[in-house]
Amino acid sequence: MTQTPVAATQVGDPAVAPRTPMTVVRGYVALTKPRIIELLLVTTLPAMVLAAHGLPDWWTVLVTMVGGTLAAGSANALNCFVDRDIDALMRRTGHRPLATHDVSPTGALIFGVLLGVFAVGLMGFTANWLAAGLTALAIGFYVIVYTVLLKRRTPQNIVWGGAAGCMPVLIGWAAVTDSLSWAAVVLFGLVFFWTPPHFWALAIRYREDYARAGVPMLPVVATPAQVSRQILGYSWLTVLTSLVLWPLATGWVYGVLALLAGAGLLIEAYRLNAATKRGEAGKPMRLFHFSNSYLAFVFVAVAVDTFLR
């Protein structure tokens, strides 16, 4: 697909916004994608609470949250570095610092690497080396497996590449126990199955963006009916996986809350599926926003149930 320079100019023209020290600082912060980090941390702390059967010691919580923030920031900054060409072609990402030239590619690369090195070192020397190893694996998987190898080659990119976003629950668990357990694996699976319907709902909304950039996200290469069916299937897997945790490591409070939240997620998925069957566009962003709330609610339910027991 031939790209025209017009698209890149429309979304990120350095002449429109002069580069100043403040825009550079804001640019480096934006490279870390703070809003994505928030959701990752929401899954980390409840996993730590469940692993500790209560609130872990404050030092472990502090270093894990700081290390997790730095690691996620590293992966996101390196993702921006690799994807700087397609980010400039997409309206959703055209405001990113490399697309607007607020940060140089070299600066973004060095920044991302330094954040990653510091994150792994912090986890290793203050928590344990299992947590540090999982942190390094998460960064590498997101940047190399998802961004470099999968994203531009297969519509299943977010299915397998999304495993990087599941790693915080394992990292948090390992930071507390210096080991892993089946409960941690179930939490990993919950986020793993949640990721495709969450991201595909967003990709439906920005289908033209991904098509313009030549990224084969599922909504670009499949019909709306096919996409909505896969979203529905993964939503069911998400809810069923969340319920596996009930007899394994939680009590009735979590079970009831997970059932209620799961019902809401399935209702939204069925609504989108029904709309596509009628030949309508549906409301994918409604599902996207609800999926954010769903994941946060279920993980908060893990912590609440643990404290009550």
Side-chain angles (χ1 to χ4, degrees), residues 84-266:
R84 63 192 184 278
D85 57 335
I86 60 176
D87 280 350
L89 298 172
M90 297 172 61
R91 293 192 180 278
R92 185 176 74 86
T93 57
H95 65 281
R96 288 180 178 171
L98 291 175
T100 58
H101 307 284
D102 289 333
V103 176
S104 69
T106 301
L109 176 61
I110 294 173
F111 179 65
V113 171
L114 288 177
L115 283 182
V117 170
F118 192 77
V120 173
L122 178 66
M123 295 297 292
F125 288 108
T126 59
N128 57 67
W129 288 103
L130 174 60
L134 291 170
T135 300
L137 178 63
I139 297 171
F141 197 93
Y142 185 70
V143 176
I144 298 174
V145 176
Y146 170 64
T147 306
V148 176
L149 299 179
L150 296 177
K151 185 173 182 178
R152 308 189 195 202
R153 290 179 171 85
T154 171
Q156 295 297 307
N157 47 23
I158 200 63
V159 176
W160 303 109
C166 313
M167 294 300 291
V169 297
L170 300 185
I171 295 168
W173 196 284
V176 172
T177 66
D178 199 11
S179 65
L180 296 175
S181 73
W182 283 113
V185 173
V186 172
L187 290 174
F188 179 98
L190 168 59
V191 183
F192 181 83
F193 291 126
W194 166 88
T195 302
H198 167 75
F199 199 88
W200 284 336
L202 180 70
I204 292 173
R205 169 65 177 81
Y206 292 100
R207 178 186 178 281
E208 292 183 1
D209 258 5
Y210 287 111
R212 186 184 303 115
V215 179
M217 287 296 174
L218 188 67
V220 174
V221 301
T223 66
Q226 291 171 329
V227 176
S228 66
R229 281 198 299 270
Q230 291 215 37
I231 285 176
L232 184 57
Y234 276 101
S235 296
W236 268 106
L237 288 172
T238 300
V239 175
L240 293 175
T241 303
S242 74
L243 296 178
V244 171
L245 195 65
W246 187 353
L248 184 65
T250 59
W252 69 267
V253 171
Y254 168 80
V256 171
L257 295 177
L259 276 171
L260 292 174
L265 182 66
L266 291 174

Side-chain angles (χ1 to χ4, degrees), residues 261-282:
L265 182 66
L266 291 174
I267 288 172
E268 292 300 327
Y270 271 106
R271 279 177 174 169
L272 181 62
N273 183 253
T276 58
K277 285 182 178 179
R278 295 191 300 267
E280 300 173 0

